[in-house]
Amino acid sequence: MKNIRNFCIIAHIDHGKSTLADRLLEYTNTITDRDMMDQVLDDMDLEREKGITIKSHAIQINYRFENQDYIFNLIDTPGHVDFSYEVSKALASCEGALLLVDASQGIQAQTISNLYLALDCDLEIIPVINKIDMDAAKVPEVTDQIVELIGCKPTDIILASGRTGIGINDILSAIIHRIPAPKGDPTLPLQALIFDSVFNSFRGIIIYFRIMNGTLSKNDQIQFVSTEKNYFAEEVGILKLKMQPKEKVNAGDVGYIITGIKNAKEVKVGDTITLAKNPGKAIDGFEEVKPMVFAGIFPVVTDDFEELRECMEKLQLNDSSLTFELETSQALGFGFRCGFLGLLHLEIIQERLEREYNQTVITTVPNVSFRATTTKQELIIVDNPIKMPDPVKINSIEEPFIRAQIITLPEFIGNIMKLCLAKRGNLLNQSYLTQTRVELIFEMPLTEIVFDFYDKLKSSTKGYASFDYTPCGYREADIVKMDILLNNEKVDALSSLIHRSKTHEFGRRLCEKLKELLPKQQFQIAIQAAVGAKVVARENISALRKDVTAKCYGGDVSRKRKLLEKQKEGKKRMKQIGNIEIPQSAFLAVLKLD
């Protein structure tokens, strides 16, 4: 066990984690030249297209150093703020972390938050400055930033380039000398922490774990501590590029187990695996994830509901931060109310449903979770506009607030202030990390950043701003429910919870957008945005009209008027019985109002 090293790579998005992982695998001959490609651990098409890591991937590396054989378990982690849960899972199963900083970008928001996560788990940190071969690399400045942040010596920082392979041998040597070997006793009762799982349609659920104590052998009878259910270990092994079966896996190792479980609900990420005949105690794993953004997901064809349910359960295995429950809507039928970590997470889940499971879905307006206190002092969690109590029965409403950390160049401070104050933000602190890098801390309502905050931040700072946030409790706010009515009929899927001061502007923009997107009918359609009984915005879509007076060549005007009155009566009747079909683009338009 003294020759095992478990470590992960943490960094801000786009600082080169996956490229560095490629070089480590290449230099240790873990992957043959034939299997080698860019971002080799990112096995989803989506990850390659967007150039981001969505899931953390584990792989075992064998490395010979000074006539000794070492085993490295490397876990590559995502960098985007929406996937910090994946990072916490990876950190729980490691003893050390490579902290990667881009030589041209310097320290950014996610670098700091991932570092704090690692320090909370008591990990050994190895700072690495990546991309030193670039023309824009500012190595001395970035070195000073890291020294100030971590308090290490400048000589502890490794200079590297994931693209060209500079410094890879130094990194491998530092992993051996600076990261401690895993502590654990192979003779104690088995304790294995589940940190991930995937669904395979032939083998059932494949569980990834890290053994803290004990040994797991093939054909052992195992038990999950939380459910107390027993299973047989049909296959155990280690994770190379592909799974590699073994007779047994020991303490300190990262591996996988297949038991033939088909039901997704029986496997919980963060649970402990132990032996049925000699059970061990549960391990304190990583913290439970709390969804920040809620949206409804509905099948386009109502008959596909059961199929969508199966797909959601399989997807939840791959992504344990996704939560969902049943929901019904008058406009869309049966579907699910899903909880996501952020808007990118919502977009990724929607894409994965379409690509991996061939499910075409409609997503409703995303909103956050509010807390309403009724006049009878009951607390109601409102994560769906439909659950909003009658305004007469509400005593107070609280909305979630976040502590936003923005790191940028000094020349963009004005733009960021303007943006954040318009989003009801409150500046808490402003500090210069270096002469060219400033950190702004705001308190803001989560509702305001759910829609388009990240895009606006990027465009107002020419891309030179990094953003990270942590929840900081609930505050009282004047939140109202805004309904959209089409010919006085409420469309519940377009309802949203919004601050009263924003209702006029948001309602007007939404009505204008719907006017563009809804197809014309044979009768006039009135689109209204209303708060309670008060209409705050309105647009009309005029009817498609046939020229009924075309056959009148001259003659008395009363003949034309009679025909027009007859047509008007017909349109009125049609309006009473007419149905308005809402295209899917209308639901998506609400997300992209700008």
Side-chain angles (χ1 to χ4, degrees):
M1 212 161 81
K2 69 180 193 304
N3 286 6
I4 296 176
R5 300 288 182 274
N6 298 322
F7 69 99
C8 60
I9 305 176
I10 53 174
H12 189 81
I13 190 167
D14 235 5
H15 279 206
K17 293 176 294 301
S18 299
T19 313
L20 184 75
D22 290 350
R23 291 296 82 74
L24 290 172
L25 298 177
E26 198 174 52
Y27 272 61
T28 52
N29 299 320
T30 305
I31 288 183
T32 59
D33 291 344
R34 194 178 68 177
D35 288 333
M36 194 64 214
M37 57 181 167
D38 287 344
Q39 289 173 265
V40 70
L41 292 179
D42 294 349
D43 48 12
M44 266 185 248
D45 293 343
L46 258 176
E47 292 180 311
R48 295 182 177 289
E49 276 172 34
K50 291 182 181 278
I52 58 174
T53 304
I54 294 167
K55 276 191 71 60
S56 27
H57 296 269
I59 189 165
Q60 193 173 97
I61 299 170
N62 295 85
Y63 183 56
R64 192 161 179 81
F65 183 77
E66 293 176 355
N67 295 327
Q68 288 218 35
D69 288 323
Y70 288 89
I71 293 173
F72 295 164
N73 287 309
L74 155 67
I75 302 180
D76 181 24
T77 63
H80 196 280
V81 60
D82 278 14
F83 302 110
S84 52
Y85 178 62
E86 287 286 330
V87 179
S88 77
K89 295 198 307 189
L91 295 173
S93 42
C94 293
E95 277 81 33
L98 298 180
L99 179 72
L100 215 59
V101 181
D102 186 326
S104 58
Q105 302 276 346
I107 284 175
Q108 292 188 290
Q110 206 57 27
T111 318
I112 296 173
S113 71
N114 282 343
L115 170 69
Y116 289 152
L117 277 176
L119 292 173
D120 286 345
C121 293
D122 215 14
L123 265 57
E124 179 64 39
I125 307 291
I126 299 176
V128 178
I129 297 179
N130 194 22
K131 306 188 186 180
I132 60 163
D133 57 318
M134 288 176 70
D135 296 338
K138 299 177 286 212
V139 177
E141 289 174 34
V142 178
T143 305
D144 292 344
Q145 287 176 26
I146 294 174
V147 169
E148 202 173 315
L149 180 68
I150 305 177
C152 62
K153 299 189 187 105
T155 49
D156 292 343
I157 300 168
I158 299 169
L159 304 182
S161 163
R163 194 165 56 91
T164 58
I166 301 167
I168 299 297
N169 288 326
D170 296 341
I171 292 173
L172 291 167
S173 163
I175 290 165
I176 290 167
H177 290 126
R178 283 153 70 173
I179 293 178
K183 295 180 178 70
D185 189 343
T187 59
L188 286 175
L190 175 69
Q191 285 178 303
L193 178 72
I194 300 174
F195 69 85
D196 212 350
S197 59
V198 292
F199 185 82
N200 181 308
S201 43
F202 301 107
R203 311 291 306 269
I205 292 162
I206 301 168
I207 300 161
Y208 297 153
F209 59 79
R210 152 80 201 273
I211 298 187
M212 301 299 181
N213 289 311
T215 306
L216 177 60
S217 306
K218 191 178 172 182
N219 297 328
D220 274 346
Q221 191 176 17
I222 60 157
Q223 186 180 69
F224 290 165
V225 173
S226 71
T227 58
E228 293 188 350
K229 289 195 173 178
N230 294 355
Y231 305 94
F232 274 101
E234 292 173 13
E235 187 182 304
V236 296
I238 56 167
L239 298 156
K240 291 285 195 182
L241 190 59
K242 294 187 171 62
M243 293 184 299
Q244 197 171 317
K246 293 267 186 193
E247 282 304 309
K248 68 175 184 178
V249 188
N250 295 313
D253 271 335
V254 173
Y256 73 91
I257 180 170
I258 298 173
T259 58
I261 300 172
K262 290 284 193 287
N263 183 359
K265 293 193 175 104
E266 292 177 31
V267 179
K268 288 191 178 75
V269 171
D271 198 0
T272 304
I273 302 174
T274 184
L275 294 179
K277 63 181 183 214
N278 185 12
K281 289 182 188 156
I283 306 165
D284 292 336
F286 27 88
E287 46 195 83
E288 273 294 304
V289 63
K290 292 194 171 53
M292 306 291 278
V293 175
F294 295 85
I297 286 186
F298 294 85
V300 172
V301 182
T302 322
D303 295 350
D304 295 344
F305 170 70
E306 281 303 325
E307 197 182 328
L308 179 63
R309 186 207 292 265
E310 281 178 32
C311 298
M312 293 289 281
E313 284 177 357
K314 288 174 188 171
L315 192 54
Q316 195 176 31
L317 274 173
N318 270 354
D319 184 350
S320 45
S321 54
L322 169 69
T323 59
F324 62 89
E325 58 184 36
L326 281 176
E327 181 183 32
T328 52
S329 155
Q330 292 166 345
L332 301 169
F334 289 106
F336 297 99
R337 190 82 194 160
C338 304
F340 306 96
L341 301 179
L343 272 194
L344 177 71
H345 190 208
L346 174 128
E347 194 184 315
I348 296 292
I349 292 292
Q350 199 176 341
E351 287 258 347
R352 287 184 70 183
L353 280 169
E354 287 184 13
R355 289 181 186 212
E356 295 171 28
Y357 301 101
N358 296 324
Q359 294 292 314
T360 316
V361 292
I362 293 174
T363 311
T364 62
V365 188
N367 61 277
V368 302
S369 172
F370 298 93
R371 293 200 307 207
T373 310
T374 62
T375 45
K376 293 180 180 176
Q377 297 306 311
E378 292 172 341
L379 185 69
I380 299 171
I381 302 292
V382 184
D383 56 16
N384 186 342
I386 298 166
K387 290 185 184 173
M388 184 78 154
D390 196 338
V392 186
K393 295 177 182 171
I394 296 174
N395 196 8
S396 65
I397 290 187
E398 295 176 313
E399 65 176 335
F401 265 66
I402 55 151
R403 190 171 185 273
Q405 177 191 35
I406 299 168
I407 296 178
T408 185
L409 302 177
E411 66 235 48
F412 300 122
I413 292 176
N415 293 356
I416 291 174
M417 292 275 197
K418 191 175 162 190
L419 172 66
C420 292
L421 294 174
K423 298 278 186 186
R424 297 192 285 133
N426 178 23
L427 181 66
L428 294 183
N429 191 14
Q430 177 182 330
S431 57
Y432 280 81
L433 301 173
T434 64
Q435 289 174 339
T436 56
R437 196 150 290 245
V438 64
E439 179 189 51
L440 301 166
I441 308 261
F442 284 92
E443 263 190 353
M444 297 169 73
L446 182 62
T447 333
E448 297 289 343
I449 67 156
V450 159
F451 280 103
D452 51 7
F453 179 78
Y454 198 61
D455 296 342
K456 281 186 174 172
L457 178 70
K458 284 290 179 196
S459 57
S460 63
T461 58
K462 300 181 184 170
Y464 283 105
S466 62
F467 170 68
D468 183 47
Y469 65 86
T470 47
C472 65
Y474 283 77
R475 309 276 162 82
E476 201 168 315
D478 189 5
I479 300 294
V480 291
K481 178 185 173 188
M482 191 172 80
D483 292 309
I484 297 295
L485 296 92
L486 298 181
N487 283 349
N488 295 323
E489 290 279 325
K490 280 185 189 175
V491 182
D492 55 358
L494 287 174
S495 297
S496 53
L497 297 168
I498 190 166
H499 194 267
R500 196 182 293 275
S501 63
K502 306 270 177 169
T503 50
H504 285 272
E505 183 204 352
F506 187 71
R508 194 190 72 250
R509 279 161 53 201
L510 190 48
C511 289
E512 284 169 1
K513 195 76 178 175
L514 287 172
K515 184 181 178 180
E516 286 172 31
L517 292 165
L518 293 179
K520 279 192 172 188
Q521 303 283 351
Q522 293 286 351
F523 49 89
Q524 187 191 37
I525 302 172
I527 306 167
Q528 294 169 308
V531 175
K534 183 186 176 187
V535 174
V536 293
R538 174 179 174 133
E539 291 287 338
N540 285 336
I541 299 177
S542 54
L544 283 169
R545 298 181 80 97
K546 180 182 172 188
D547 187 2
V548 287
T549 59
K551 61 186 179 191
C552 298
Y553 291 103
D556 189 28
V557 73
S558 58
R559 283 184 64 202
K560 287 186 179 179
R561 199 169 289 140
K562 188 178 168 188
L563 287 168
L564 287 168
E565 285 298 323
K566 195 174 171 187
Q567 185 190 35
K568 194 173 169 186
E569 281 299 314
K571 298 280 182 201
K572 202 170 170 184
R573 264 202 317 279
M574 215 182 268
K575 188 173 180 175
Q576 288 167 355
I577 58 165
N579 252 342
I580 304 164
E581 281 288 313
I582 304 173
Q584 188 178 349
S585 55
F587 294 107
L588 298 176
V590 186
L591 309 182
K592 302 183 175 74
L593 275 179
D594 288 337

